[in-house]
Amino acid sequence: PTAGGEISSSQEICSESTPKTLVSKSLPTGYKGTLEYQWQASTTSGTEGFSDIASANAETYSPGKQTATTWYKRLARVSCMADWTGAVESSVVKVTVITVSQPVVSAGSNIYTYDGTLKTVEINVAQGEIVEWIDFDTFEIIPSLSGTNAGTYSATAQIKNITYGCYSSNIAVVNLVINKADVTVTPNASQSKIYGDDDPTITYTYTPELVTNNTLNIHKKIFHNY
């Protein structure tokens, strides 16, 4: 042949997805005899790094699942040729694999002490990505992993590309831990009364100051010396 024709078409897919079959937009021209084909692929670029794909000798080619961006082209020769020297090449098509960030949570970064404020887990994502949270108990989608009261909150996190709908290959189990706040209570040990009088009100001080809407439950015990 004098011209290798064109194949169709360049595509954008999620990792581990299967591209559409690569087909002819136009066949090779300028030959006599019977055509033979050999498909080649490269993960380097559209101009170098190509090598033969085993058993890919038809007019069309169906790639399998892709994990890396790959370029494809088709060689053509007539069957009387002894080798592929001088074979014509088709146009090159590119199958772009969309990569998505993996959810990474630093160890110990989501452990807090209760202070009455909302705590929210943060995961860094690239532009055009979001974190999709699934509640660990209800299996429902939640807007974020967050909590205010003391306890452990759990969810799974997967990163999604909002343009292509691609997801990260990893799913992370994330815990948000809010520990109870320690309060130091110091009683006033110097109180007294006259025998027979009612017991005095026991007084005490505590640190740190209580968060709004929280109260102390103090267990009091009075010792009498007779």
Side-chain angles (χ1 to χ4, degrees), residues 40-185:
Q40 293 185 330
S42 169
T43 55
T44 303
S45 73
T47 57
E48 58 185 1
F50 282 93
S51 58
D52 292 349
I53 303 171
S55 302
N57 308 114
E59 177 189 324
T60 62
Y61 177 66
S62 297
K65 291 183 178 180
Q66 305 284 283
T67 58
T69 295
T70 306
W71 290 262
Y72 293 94
K73 66 181 178 181
R74 182 186 62 195
L75 306 184
R77 70 177 184 182
V78 290
S79 58
C80 62
M81 299 298 293
D83 56 38
W84 289 89
T85 301
V88 291
E89 299 180 356
S90 68
S91 58
V92 176
V93 297
K94 180 181 180 181
V95 176
T96 302
V97 174
I98 305 302
T99 57
V100 181
S101 305
Q102 301 300 324
V104 177
V105 182
S106 301
S109 61
N110 297 305
I111 301 176
Y112 301 91
T113 298
Y114 173 78
D115 62 6
T117 63
L118 183 70
K119 308 299 182 185
T120 301
V121 175
E122 299 292 340
I123 293 180
N124 293 327
V125 297
Q127 185 175 359
E129 296 177 344
I130 61 171
V131 180
E132 190 168 277
W133 293 98
I134 305 293
D135 186 272
F136 206 66
D137 296 318
T138 65
F139 302 106
E140 295 179 349
I141 296 177
I142 54 178
S144 63
L145 178 57
S146 58
T148 300
N149 295 327
T152 298
Y153 305 82
S154 299
T156 60
Q158 191 171 22
I159 298 178
K160 178 182 180 180
N161 181 295
I162 58 177
T163 301
Y164 298 96
C166 302
Y167 284 88
S168 59
S169 57
N170 293 339
I171 300 175
V173 176
V174 185
N175 294 318
L176 168 64
V177 179
I178 303 177
N179 294 315
K180 294 180 179 180
D182 292 328
V183 177
T184 300
V185 179

Side-chain angles (χ1 to χ4, degrees), residues 195-213:
Y195 178 77
D197 289 350
D198 293 334
D199 290 333
T201 299
I202 303 301
T203 60
Y204 53 84
T205 59
Y206 54 84
T207 56
E209 290 295 320
L210 295 181
V211 177
T212 302
N213 297 326

